[in-house]
Each structure stands twice: as C-alpha cells, then as structure tokens.
Amino acid sequence: MAKDRANPLDYSRKTWMRLCMGFTFVFLYFPIVSLIAFSFNDSKRNITWQGFTLRYYEQAFNNSQLHEAFLNSLIIAGISTTVSTILGAMLGLALYRFRFPAQGPYEGLVHLPIVIPEICMAVAMVAFFATVNMPLGLTTITVSHIAFSIPFVAVVIRARMAGFDRSLEEASRDLGASQWQTFWNVTYPYMKPGLVAGALLAFTLSLDDFVITFFTSGPGSTTFPIKIYSMVRFSVTPEVNAASTVLIVITLALTVAALIIQSRSQGPTHA
Amino acid sequence: MPDSNTIITIRNVVKRFGSSVTAVNDVSLDIRRGEFFALLGPSGCGKTTLLRMLAGFESPSEGEILIDGEDMDGVEPNKRSVNMVFQSYAVFPHMTVHQNVAYGLKVAGTPKGEINQRVGEALALVQLESMADRKPDQLSGGQRQRVALARALVKKPKVLLLDEPLSALDAKLREQMQLELVRLQKSVGITFVIVTHDQNEALSMADRIAVMEHGNVLQLAPPAELYEYPNCRFVADFIGKMNLFDGQVVGARDGRVVVRVNALSDRVGDLELPYDGEARGGVGVAIRPEKLRLSSSEPVDEPVRLRTRIMEVVYYGDENHVFLEAGEAKFTANLQNVSRGAHAGVVRGEDVWISWRQEDTLLLTS
Amino acid sequence: MESWRNNRLVFAVLALPPTAWLVIFFTVPLIIMWVYSFAERGPQGQIELAINFANYARAIEWIHLGIIWKSIWIAAVTTLITFLIGFPLAMGIAFAPARWKNVLLLLVILPFWTNLLIRTYAWIAVLRTRGFLNFGLEWAHEKLTILFGFFGTAQVMGEFQPLELLYNQKAVVIGLVYVYLPFLVLPIYATIEKLDKSYLEASLDLGAGHWRTLFSVTMPLALPGIISGCLLAFILSMGTFLTPALLGGTDSEMIGNLIARQFSSSRDWPFGSALSFLLLYLTFIILWVRASLAGRKAGPL
C-alpha cells in the first residue's frame, strides 16, 4: 500500500505549475531552437522542413564579408579582453581591499556602465570621438568595449575576493614575504579563477555587443553582429541562421567554460 | 479500534525519502486525549518527520494516521484540526502580533468581533496583551515564541504540535518556558505533542515519552519508568548517564537471573539480578552514577562492593562527578554536594570502596 | 578592508589606471554629451555651443512626449506580462527538488547568453506573415475546416487570413518580455529561495489555502525581490533600442530609437543629447527608488 503523495509545498509537482513552466520554456526556446534547426533546412523559403543540408554553413564560411567581420570581432574581443581584464582586476582588488573617501559615489560612478541604457553610452561615445576628432573604426570600438567591460570584470573579481581570507596575506607577511611576493604567491593564486571567469565574460560581452559597436563603428570596421544585422535587415535567410548558430555556439561554449571554472573554484576553497 | 481516550492513532507508519532513506520505520503508537506527549531522540531519528506527518506537511509512504478517529490520508494541512508551533516560530514578519494571532481565524471567516475577542484571550494566556501592535522584529525570542503559541492555540486545535520549541532559547529562559508550557497545557486541556532532542525537557514536561532512534520507537513510557527501567542499552544511555558493562547469563536462581560480568566477576562474583522475562547469552548490566555509594572503609553489609581507585574528580557545583577504576572496570559516580565540603576526602589517587543495591541494577537484554 | 592611507602606493597603483580609463572613455563622453544637450544645432547639423534649455523644451513637446510616454507604457506592459510569466516560473524553480533547481535556473539563463541581436532576429522568423506562428495557425485553420467539412459547415471557417504579428507594438512587447524575463525571474527566485518555508507551512497549518497563502504570506515576503525584478525589467525595457528597431513598426518607436535617429539621419546631436539625458535621469530615479526600497527592507529585519 505504498503511497507517493506530493507534499503540500511541492508546487513543482502540481500539474498546473508544470504546464505553466512548460509553456514558459517553450516560449524561451522555440525561437532559438527553430532558428538553429532551420539553418540546416534545405530550402530558401525557410519555413517547412525540406531535408538536412550544410549548404548554408558552406555559404556563410565562403562569404568573405562575413569572414572579415568575424576576424574584426575576434581582434576587438581579444584586445578588449586583455586590457579590460587587467584594468578590471585592478579595480576589483582596489574596491575589495580599500576604504577611501567618497567611496559610495566612486563605486556608483565605476559601475555606471553596467546600469545605464546602452543607447545612452553609445551616443555619448559618438559625441566624444567626434569632439576629439578620432575617426570611427576598430580603435574606437575597442576603446568603448574596454570601457564597458571593466566594471563587469571588477564585479566578478570582487565577488571572488569576498571569499578570501585576509589572514592568509597577513600570515605570508608575518613569515617574511614582501607585499609583492605575498601578492604573487598568496593572493594571485586565489584570484585566478575569478580572472579566467572575468576574461571569458569580457570576451563574450565584446563578441556579442551590438548597440555600442553599431554606433562607434565606421566604414570598414564591420563586426560579426553588425554584419548579421545588415543581413537581417534585408531578409530572413538560412545563411543568416547558419552564421547566427556559429555565434551562439561560440558564446555558449565560452560561458559554460566560465561557469565550470567558477563553480569548480568555489567548491573546495570555501570549505 | 482506538477507544475514545485516544486522540491520535499512528498505525504502521513508514516514511521513505527517495529509495535509500527510511526516516520513519513502521511506527505504531496511540496518543491519549489531553496528555503531554514527547517524541524524544537524537537528531535524524525521525521524530520531526513523524510530527510533520501529523501536521500534514509530509505524507506517510505506508500506514495510516488517525486524528480523533478520522483517517488523515490526503487531508491537506489547512484542513486538519491540529496546529503547530514551528522550531523557527515562523511568526509572519510583515504582520503585527495581533494580525499574526488573528490570521488563522481570519482565513476561516470568523466574524470580526469574535476574532478580536479570541485574539485578546489568547494574548492574555501568553501574557502578551501589551505587545499586540508590535511587529515581530521588535520582540525577543521568547516573546516571538509566545506569539507562535497564541497563534496556534487561538484556533482551539485538537492537538498542538511543538517542534523543538525551546531549542532557540537560552538556558534560563528555556527552564522557565518548560514550566510555563506545562501550566498552559493543563489550563487549556489540549493534547500537546512535543518533539525534542533534550532529555531533560522531555522528562520534566511530558506525561509520556516515546524514545526514537533510526526511525523506530524503542520505548514508550512515563518519565520515571523510562529513567528507572530503560528497556535497552540505547534508552539507558540516551536518558541520563549510565555505567554499562557486558555480561553473560550463567543461570537462574529464585526468579532472579545470575549474570557474570567479565570485568567485575573476580571482585564481586556473579550478580543476581531481578528480571521478569527470559534472559540468556550476552546481556548488559547497568547502574546509574547517582546510585553508587562511596565509603572509605569496606561496607561489609552491602552485597555488591568493590575497591576502586579515584582517577579524576570533576566539580560541578551542585555535584561532583567521580571517575573510578578497578582493573578493567570503569565507573562514574555522581555525588550530591549536600553540605559544604561533604566530599573533602574524595580526591584523585585515593582508593575508595563503592557499593550499590542489587535492586538498583538493570539487566538489559537488547 | 583597510584605509587607503595605510598603503597609498598600492592603492594608487591599483585604482588609478582603471579609474583613468573610465573617466576618459566613459565619464568625459557623458559630460560632453551633457554639454551638447544645452547646445544648438547649426544649419548643417554642426554643434554650436550655447546654454539654453530649448532641447529639453523640445523633448516635452507633444510629438516627443508621446514617444516618451509610449516608451513608459510599453515598458510597463512588458513588466506586467513578464511578471505574470516570471513569477510562477520563479516559484516553480524555488520549490523544485534540489537536483532540478540548477538545471532549471540554467535553462532560464541560457537564452540570455545568446546574442541579443540573434534572439531578437529569431522572433522575426516566428512572427512574420509567413512565420511559424501564422504557419501553425493556418495548419490549425485547415484542420478545423476539414473537421467542419464533415458537418457540411466548412464555410463558417472562411478563408485563412495571416495575422499581422510583426512590425508593431505587440511584437516589440513580445520581444522585450522574451529578452528581459531572466532579469525578473532571478531576483524573485532568489528571495523565494531564501524564504523560510516554515512561514508558508505555518500559513497552511493555520487553515489558509494555497492561494490565500500566496497572496497573504508568500508575495508580501517576496516583495523586495518582486520590486527589484520588476524595476529592473522596467528600466531595461524603457531604454531599449534594438528590439523596436528590429521588431517594431512606425507605431512603436521608443525613446532609444528617437535618440538614435538624432545621431544618424536627423543629425541633431544637441537634441539627441538632451533626450539621452532625460532617459538617464529617468533610469537613475528608478534605480534610486529600487536602492532605497532595498535599503529600507534590509534595515529592521
């Protein structure tokens, strides 16, 4: 006479709740999944399934403009990641470690790029580059990407350091190490997973960004998302789907890597 | 068939979590109308799970639970005539004391006038009339607990369930609340079922106690019986302190069992212990620390006596705990400090005689 | 935390470079834009510095006020719908068995990591006249027509007319709900998850049903998370640019698009700057409300 009754608070076992959640997940995944699925569809009209093909991936790979845009995106993301990870880590460490005058307003200011509408930052950058007479191109995009990535990296580093035991540094100093030696031998190893996670985040942000890139790019500095945007403006084609799928796979792989690194580093060191 | 004196019947109840964990393992017991009943056991013994099944937050995997003769299978918590005082109190932080106590009446559609009257009475019962408009964050832990009590009692439940109600209070307040809970229970006449891991709490408050371990009820008895006649080693050891020895049954004489304790036999010979049942093979022999007597000279008229060395004396104020050794055998004796310097002669390294009465010795067959 | 005075050199080395970058490439651009917002547009679209509030005055003229109001309205509707979808989802995840929780959370966040542009583009394929939704509706229509055909009443179904789903406000709202759902679900999930479940059990124990418990106990206790999530969804939707640009039509231009237009085709940077600052001020006010609500909640409890 074994019974398996749900407990009163097992809301996730109630049928209506499951329907509700099921509907929401269909809503969340149907567009993306269908986009990916129809990048393999052997039909230009793109709406009914005509059979599997990799034709559109071939087309996308042989599209020299897409090639160039992708290369641009990688160059920008590479430089932006390097610079913003270093600067963001410094900022995160400073915020974690020090008390200083006007800290509240300062923190508000450096986190501003996270909270303000992207369009506001985008047009401000345009105004700035025009004022200082800097021609729009790869440089202006990269500079802007670094600016909005720094606070994100800083937040990741600071969160990582929140679990750090300051007495380890004190122990190192007590045992005769200099500040610099203490940093390299004690603080830096602890911080490393945060650096990797922060760098991956900065890379994804840069690779994905559309709005700010769109405004700060000039002729000849088309990035991957911008190229896709210009293709999307014309029509929905399987080739766009194929290019989009490639970008989705890259960002997802990077993010999953960041997640794994973060969760692995949070486990044992905290205990 | 449960008689009219029974308010809760638990019959062959099993609760499994997943496929590997059995929290409650075939428990059957009756709780009587109007009694103060305690479920006592170490953490993880299944007592809280059993209580939560009474409240309806968990449902038995097997077996049945009857409250006042009604089968509770599939009855939601809000449809049961029992109420609970939670371990964390769960006093709603966004409501005032008055709103908290009124909540259960309001959701039942009780008329406003009656709500106010009953809430007033309930708050008076727990002496919180003056706090009615406060928010929980302005109350002390003890006061919050009183709110939880009033909130449950105002519903006039058939049974009040209390989940470790005193564990969050400090020692002084805990003792005071024990007395108060007993007073409250007698005055309202409602059956109380309390879950606790604290033996003192159970002994001092409950009319009857069920001792649980690994999902089983080991013994169900009034406090004094539980303390003086534990039915197994676990209960003997869990409630109070106990000197426990391994022995073998070697015979029976005049309705008494003859037991040889390996660690003692060369000093005191075989023990003849009173025992009602059949006993054979390996058994446990136990004696409470406070039932040991110490004397500097040999107490010749005591049948069980042996010479021991004092290894350690620990002073507790009201009593001393004396740790003794005689060869393999180790004893603990508790001596009441009945007057100042009563045990001035009991110091480490000295030899003393200890003795006890055959009647105070316990034979534990399981 | 130590005082910066203890170690001025380390503090300077750590804080100065990132601060310098952010000041030069973020704060200064904002200041320039702020200065421009008081400037005048010359006949060729060049900027003539001045100090007047004409741009701000223009922003609250009827035609522009309408767009600002529409942005607020679209953001409000988006927030409401997102809440209606997101709250049950947050509840469901918070009460799911432990081993499912992380999987479900990951499923909520995963779309959020795919490119915003691509996610929005994906909706075009769903919503357009020859899109999946209309396709599904036509299929259903066809089947129903056959069904009615059995009863000889096929004519009641009439001819299938594809719905106009794309390039209007509805499409924008759908796109925004889709994009900002995780931002609303996560804070609400976090508060419900942290909630002591005994409160809900106590409510049930005292005789309240599940709906009563939801409205009298769960939602009031989860209010900080609900407010935080809703305000987040609101400011993000209000400042959006891409979604209306891709999914919207002439009736769904929002303030972000108006700003963008001043910096591209209209070439009226001073006016665009003023609009941009209005949007910033609006965002700040809401962030401030959110922060002060969070501070008040954290205080006494």
Side-chain angles (χ1 to χ4, degrees):
Chain A
M1 52 181 280
K3 291 167 277 191
D4 185 30
R5 259 182 217 291
N7 291 342
L9 286 182
D10 275 348
Y11 289 123
S12 66
R13 281 180 65 179
K14 303 220 154 117
T15 317
W16 58 268
M17 179 58 97
R18 287 186 169 181
L19 282 174
C20 228
M21 290 174 77
F23 164 78
T24 312
F25 281 119
V26 168
F27 172 72
L28 278 177
Y29 282 91
F30 180 76
I32 297 180
V33 171
S34 61
L35 177 141
I36 293 174
F38 278 83
S39 71
F40 299 105
N41 187 22
D42 198 0
S43 155
K44 201 79 190 145
R45 276 188 68 227
N46 201 5
I47 185 71
T48 45
W49 185 256
Q50 303 291 339
F52 183 85
T53 180
L54 288 173
R55 185 149 55 100
Y56 298 103
Y57 283 86
E58 242 168 78
Q59 248 177 49
F61 279 113
N62 291 329
N63 182 332
S64 62
Q65 287 180 323
L66 264 178
H67 251 160
E68 194 196 320
F70 191 65
L71 200 65
N72 281 342
S73 274
L74 285 184
I75 292 169
I76 294 168
I79 299 173
S80 162
T81 303
T82 314
V83 179
S84 65
T85 304
I86 295 169
L87 292 178
M90 292 162 93
L91 182 61
L93 276 178
L95 287 174
Y96 150 75
R97 187 156 164 193
F98 291 104
R99 242 178 309 115
F100 49 90
Q103 190 163 7
Y106 176 78
E107 281 188 28
L109 198 69
V110 296
H111 289 135
L112 214 51
I114 298 180
V115 295
I116 72 166
E118 261 195 299
I119 185 72
C120 294
M121 181 165 171
V123 296
M125 296 314 285
V126 172
F128 171 73
F129 292 129
T131 310
V132 298
N133 270 325
M134 218 165 144
L136 296 178
L138 290 183
T139 319
T140 50
I141 300 175
T142 312
V143 161
S144 312
H145 281 200
I146 293 170
F148 72 68
S149 298
I150 288 174
F152 282 98
V153 176
V155 166
V156 172
I157 295 290
R158 202 182 179 185
R160 172 69 188 161
M161 292 314 289
F164 182 65
D165 183 1
R166 277 303 298 274
S167 57
L168 293 177
E169 281 181 353
E170 288 165 0
S172 163
R173 299 280 281 151
D174 181 63
L175 294 168
S178 70
Q179 282 212 34
W180 185 244
Q181 287 169 322
T182 300
F183 176 77
W184 273 118
N185 294 312
V186 180
T187 319
Y188 174 71
Y190 184 85
M191 194 172 75
K192 221 160 125 191
L195 276 177
V196 176
L200 285 168
L201 181 65
F203 195 85
T204 324
L205 283 173
S206 169
L207 202 61
D208 266 356
D209 182 70
F210 171 74
V211 178
I212 289 170
T213 316
F214 183 66
F215 281 88
T216 52
S217 65
S221 64
T222 307
T223 67
F224 202 57
I226 290 180
K227 181 68 202 158
I228 292 180
Y229 181 73
S230 64
M231 291 164 84
V232 165
R233 298 288 286 192
F234 292 121
S235 69
V236 178
T237 67
E239 195 186 343
V240 180
N241 286 17
S244 303
T245 305
V246 172
L247 190 58
I248 290 176
V249 170
I250 292 173
T251 29
L252 275 191
L254 286 175
T255 327
V256 169
L259 268 188
I260 291 172
I261 289 167
Q262 250 174 336
S263 67
R264 202 186 287 160
S265 66
Q266 264 160 16
T269 33
H270 267 268
Chain B
M1 194 61 214
D3 57 64
S4 60
N5 265 332
T6 306
I7 187 84
I8 290 179
T9 306
I10 297 168
R11 221 177 267 152
N12 304 107
V13 164
V14 175
K15 177 65 186 178
R16 282 183 223 98
F17 291 109
S19 54
S20 54
V21 183
T22 304
V24 174
N25 185 14
D26 198 13
V27 165
S28 296
L29 54 85
D30 288 344
I31 296 172
R32 294 175 196 147
R33 215 175 277 277
E35 81 175 327
F36 200 131
F37 191 92
L39 290 165
L40 173 65
S43 61
C45 71
K47 56 191 193 302
T48 298
T49 307
L50 193 59
L51 192 80
R52 289 172 59 80
M53 285 194 281
L54 295 180
F57 299 127
E58 310 279 353
S59 46
S61 309
E62 281 172 36
E64 53 182 3
I65 291 172
L66 277 63
I67 295 178
D68 208 10
E70 266 180 76
D71 189 355
M72 286 293 117
D73 184 35
V75 179
E76 291 256 317
N78 49 333
K79 303 277 189 270
R80 297 189 181 201
S81 50
V82 298
N83 288 108
M84 181 135 156
V85 174
F86 290 80
Q87 184 170 13
S88 60
Y89 312 144
V91 174
F92 303 127
H94 59 297
M95 299 182 191
T96 63
V97 169
H98 184 278
Q99 286 168 333
N100 260 285
V101 180
Y103 184 81
L105 299 174
K106 218 170 109 192
V107 298
T110 312
K112 210 168 165 57
E114 190 189 334
I115 291 183
N116 286 335
Q117 189 207 335
R118 279 170 69 178
V119 170
E121 286 168 8
L123 287 178
L125 197 65
V126 296
Q127 293 144 26
L128 278 182
E129 302 103 310
S130 58
M131 308 276 177
D133 295 323
R134 293 218 185 161
K135 283 282 188 76
D137 54 26
Q138 299 166 297
L139 300 178
S140 69
Q143 288 168 333
R144 248 176 281 175
Q145 181 183 48
R146 286 161 197 266
V147 176
L149 263 171
R151 187 176 68 176
L153 284 173
V154 80
K155 296 273 292 176
K156 297 186 178 152
K158 286 177 180 162
V159 181
L160 184 74
L161 309 171
L162 303 105
D163 184 10
E164 301 268 12
L166 307 177
S167 61
L169 303 179
D170 61 63
K172 265 247 149 57
L173 196 56
R174 187 153 58 216
E175 210 160 296
Q176 185 192 329
M177 278 309 291
Q178 286 177 13
L179 289 172
E180 195 148 335
L181 277 178
V182 173
R183 176 191 67 82
L184 204 60
Q185 196 261 336
K186 298 303 169 215
S187 74
V188 295
I190 292 172
T191 312
F192 277 29
V193 178
I194 186 172
V195 153
T196 177
H197 65 274
D198 181 335
Q199 35 143 338
N200 289 327
E201 220 166 273
L203 291 176
S204 62
M205 291 194 289
D207 297 318
R208 289 194 307 152
I209 300 169
V211 182
M212 291 185 69
E213 194 217 13
H214 295 322
N216 298 302
V217 172
L218 300 177
Q219 188 171 8
L220 197 173
E225 190 184 326
L226 212 56
Y227 186 79
E228 299 295 349
Y229 300 98
N231 66 358
C232 61
R233 281 170 189 247
F234 180 84
V235 176
D237 204 39
F238 186 72
I239 297 184
K241 294 195 182 69
M242 195 61 104
N243 294 298
L244 252 172
F245 301 98
D246 291 319
Q248 283 96 39
V249 176
V250 293
R253 203 175 298 155
D254 312 331
R256 291 178 159 225
V257 181
V258 182
V259 180
R260 179 167 300 154
V261 177
N262 303 335
L264 297 177
S265 57
D266 55 330
R267 290 162 206 268
V268 298
D270 294 344
L271 300 173
E272 287 179 28
L273 306 175
Y275 191 69
D276 291 338
E278 186 108 348
R280 63 180 47 149
V283 291
V285 172
I287 179 80
R288 293 275 181 205
E290 75 277 10
K291 296 199 164 65
L292 294 179
R293 271 168 288 178
L294 269 64
S295 45
S296 46
S297 54
E298 182 171 5
V300 286
D301 45 343
E302 298 277 359
V304 190
R305 57 179 187 271
L306 70 158
R307 199 166 165 74
T308 58
R309 170 148 304 169
I310 299 173
M311 306 308 290
E312 195 65 74
V313 180
V314 182
Y315 180 71
Y316 281 100
D318 56 343
E319 53 180 28
N320 292 342
H321 292 182
V322 186
F323 297 91
L324 307 137
E325 275 185 29
E328 301 265 287
K330 289 183 168 66
F331 290 90
T332 309
N334 293 358
L335 304 179
Q336 282 288 317
N337 286 328
V338 289
S339 60
R340 288 179 180 160
H343 305 291
V346 181
V347 286
R348 181 164 57 187
E350 295 289 305
D351 286 352
V352 288
W353 285 90
I354 62 169
S355 59
W356 68 89
R357 302 192 311 166
Q358 295 267 30
E359 292 81 358
D360 289 335
T361 319
L362 272 165
L363 184 68
L364 301 167
T365 51
S366 58
Chain C
M1 289 272 247
E2 58 183 301
S3 170
W4 68 291
R5 281 194 191 82
N6 291 350
N7 221 330
R8 283 165 203 253
L9 181 68
V10 173
F11 177 68
V13 166
L14 286 179
L16 279 183
T19 310
W21 192 285
L22 284 175
V23 166
I24 296 171
F25 296 115
F26 181 73
T27 317
V28 168
L30 283 183
I31 293 171
I32 288 174
M33 193 168 72
W34 189 71
V35 171
Y36 279 2
S37 74
F38 299 103
E40 284 164 9
R41 175 182 184 269
Q44 270 86 47
Q46 76 272 37
I47 296 142
E48 290 169 1
L49 290 184
I51 299 178
N52 64 47
F53 287 85
N55 296 311
Y56 289 96
R58 258 183 80 198
I60 52 173
E61 276 169 18
W62 266 116
I63 175 154
H64 302 122
L65 201 62
I67 291 178
I68 294 173
W69 173 244
K70 199 192 296 163
S71 301
I72 293 175
W73 171 246
I74 289 178
V77 173
T78 301
T79 306
L80 181 70
I81 296 174
T82 313
F83 176 74
L84 292 178
I85 298 176
F87 186 80
L89 185 64
M91 277 278 277
I93 300 174
F95 285 94
R99 62 181 184 284
W100 279 102
K101 261 183 209 174
N102 284 331
V103 177
L104 290 171
L105 271 182
L106 196 70
L107 280 177
V108 171
I109 307 170
L110 214 54
F112 165 65
W113 282 323
T114 54
N115 190 293
L116 175 68
L117 172 69
I118 294 173
R119 271 183 293 162
T120 312
Y121 158 66
W123 275 101
I124 296 180
V126 175
L127 295 177
R128 64 200 171 126
T129 319
R130 294 286 310 155
F132 294 118
L133 210 59
N134 270 320
F135 196 71
L137 287 173
E138 189 175 3
W139 179 84
H141 181 271
E142 211 171 274
K143 294 289 170 238
L144 274 175
T145 310
I146 293 170
L147 187 70
F148 278 103
F150 283 122
F151 305 102
T153 52
Q155 63 279 9
V156 297
M157 290 303 295
E159 193 72 6
F160 177 74
Q161 288 294 328
L163 298 177
E164 286 303 325
L165 298 166
L166 197 57
Y167 306 127
N168 54 36
Q169 275 190 31
K170 281 187 218 81
V172 173
V173 170
I174 292 174
L176 289 175
V177 169
Y178 181 68
V179 171
Y180 297 127
L181 188 67
F183 289 93
L184 181 127
V185 170
L186 293 184
I188 296 182
Y189 162 79
T191 39
I192 297 180
E193 165 67 22
K194 268 186 289 179
L195 205 66
D196 183 354
K197 301 297 178 291
S198 322
Y199 290 129
L200 315 197
E201 290 181 343
S203 173
L204 292 176
D205 185 70
L206 293 166
H210 287 286
W211 288 107
R212 181 74 191 225
T213 301
L214 180 67
F215 290 115
S216 299
V217 178
T218 318
M219 284 183 46
L221 290 179
L223 204 58
I226 293 173
I227 292 175
S228 167
C230 286
L231 289 181
L232 204 57
F234 184 80
I235 54 172
L236 287 168
S237 324
M238 201 176 60
T240 192
F241 158 74
L242 186 63
T243 313
L246 275 180
L247 302 179
T250 43
D251 72 329
S252 36
E253 187 177 47
M254 289 172 71
I255 183 165
N257 309 89
L258 187 60
I259 294 171
R261 188 143 57 86
Q262 305 314 314
F263 281 82
S264 50
S265 58
S266 299
R267 270 200 84 74
D268 191 347
W269 290 18
F271 180 49
S273 300
L275 284 171
S276 191
F277 261 90
L278 279 181
L279 178 58
L280 274 178
Y281 293 141
L282 221 53
T283 309
F284 289 151
I285 289 170
I286 294 165
L287 282 174
W288 173 77
V289 167
R290 181 165 171 253
S292 59
L293 280 175
R296 208 188 60 195
K297 281 286 167 193
L301 279 177

